[in-house]
Amino acid sequence: MPVDVQVVGGGVIGLSCAWDLSRNGHGVRVVAPLAGHDGASWVAAGMLAPVTEAQFGESALTDLLVEGARRWPPFARALEESAGRSVGYETAGTVAVALDASDRASLDDLLAYQRALGLEAVRRGPSECRDLVPALSPAVRGGIEVPGDHAVDNRALLTALVQSCRLAGVEFVAGTVRALEPGPVIALHDGRRLGSAHVLLAAGTGLPGIAGLEGAGLPDIRPVKGHIVRLGPPEAARGGGVPLVGRTVRGLVRGRSVYLVPRRDGSLVVGATVEERVDTAVQAGAVHELLCDARAIVPGIDELSLLETSTGFRPATPDNMPRIGWTALDGVAVATGHYRNGILLAPLTAAAVVDLIDRRPVPPAVRALAPA
Ligand SMILES: Cc1cc2nc3c(=O)[nH]c(=O)nc-3n(C[C@H](O)[C@H](O)[C@H](O)COP(=O)(O)OP(=O)(O)OC[C@H]3O[C@@H](n4cnc5c(N)ncnc54)[C@H](O)[C@@H]3O)c2cc1C
């Protein structure tokens, strides 16, 4: 099929859009250096957490996240069916716990805010929390149970997306886009120039590095660094081990946030720092802080192996809302700026991009997100 849409970027946003476009009858080409194996999407924890991500003063974003979460079950089912493999979609829910009295007070404030927004969250005492997650420390002062905050294995998701794209006939070009030219034509660093009726810019924090976007009406995209740690059972038990916790645990530990997200292979993702800095270094201090906070609420992590420490960059806009829509350049659309919730928002973003390319109205939740 001739290519009518070129997608710049092979993270969760670019790949979800590419797959959805191809299963809706479009000829799609993805241009990225390492599609499905890099970017924030590879590093992320994979929480699908509209409730525990709700922040004071961001009710518009929360509404968007709730709609994003609503799209996940059918998306996961269709993707698993098409790829013939699991994406590790977990619906056991989330428990957010507090370590000391002041953390408990902060969680109670957050609970009141969540309830005021109509979100489902239930206050739980210390022993109720331990019934839900037996591995919790006896020091935990109670918390909140959030049944609707789910999780997905982001790496299994990316693998399934690449596979489904290939099966649907999506063409992959390994390369980095240097510039966008009128046409629209994308110019690669190696000199290749590729044209198509439409281009979708989904390059995450790589977007500002692409020339020719002056006048497109795009916001500044800033990278927000996150350290993350992956732990696992000792080598002998790896691959089928029972995770230390059976659901996502989020903690407030003397005012600092930490989370532990279990995977089906027995491993545990511990994250994440939120830092306004651009260096890629994995810093000992950040890893130390994450592990200290995680072991304060789940001491059993001491017995696990350290599998990986990494950093990633969340693509953020000045107002922390994504941008999804047509730019001011002919035939050029954008889907980026998903900041802390790109995995959660991928199915909704993909559906909106299909609507855009097919010249239909986008879902109401996304209407206000078009670039200025
Ligand atoms: C530590 C951490 C934890 C997170 N946890 C969660 C979570 O639990 N839940 C959640 O929903 N979100 C989470 N996020 C946020 C989420 O990862 C991002 O919002 C999401 O991955 C953004 O996806 P993306 O495809 O826009 O960008 P990316 O995944 O960064 O992908 C960008 C792609 O564009 C490519 N690219 C860049 N420049 C160019 C160029 N010039 N030419 C061609 N290709 C280019 C890159 O190579 C890459 O393939 C987390 C992020 C971090 C860093």
Side-chain angles (χ1 to χ4, degrees), residues 48-55 58-74 89 113-114 117-120 146 148-150 321 341 344-345 347-348 365-366:
L48 309 172
V51 180
T52 48
E53 279 292 312
Q55 316 243 338
E58 290 191 346
S59 64
L61 178 59
T62 301
D63 289 347
L64 184 70
L65 301 185
V66 168
E67 178 58 18
R70 208 180 60 76
R71 305 262 173 165
W72 252 96
Y89 179 51
Y113 177 66
Q114 291 162 344
L117 295 178
L119 304 171
E120 192 187 354
V146 183
D149 275 7
H150 299 157
M321 296 289 279
N341 293 291
L344 168 59
L345 292 172
L348 174 60
V366 173

Side-chain angles (χ1 to χ4, degrees), residues 23 28 38 41 51-52 81 90 108 122 151 169 181 222 230 238 248 275 296-297 300:
R23 65 182 177 140
V28 183
D38 70 352
S41 307
V51 180
T52 48
E81 200 173 299
E90 299 292 351
D108 283 342
V122 186
E181 298 171 357
R222 71 180 200 286
R230 283 176 157 79
R238 225 167 272 165
T248 298
E275 304 165 62
I297 53 172

Side-chain angles (χ1 to χ4, degrees), residues 8-15 31-36 38-49 175-178 189 202-207 209-210 224-228 259 261 272-273 311-315 335-345:
V8 180
V12 72
I13 299 299
L15 292 174
V31 183
L34 259 177
D38 70 352
S41 307
W42 182 253
V43 173
M47 291 179 296
L48 309 172
T176 306
V177 173
R178 179 183 58 76
H189 275 289
T205 55
L207 190 64
I210 299 176
V224 180
K225 182 176 178 180
H227 280 81
I228 204 156
Y259 54 71
V261 186
T273 61
T311 59
F313 293 92
R314 308 167 180 93
T336 195
H338 294 75
Y339 189 34
R340 295 163 63 107
N341 293 291
I343 309 287
L344 168 59
L345 292 172

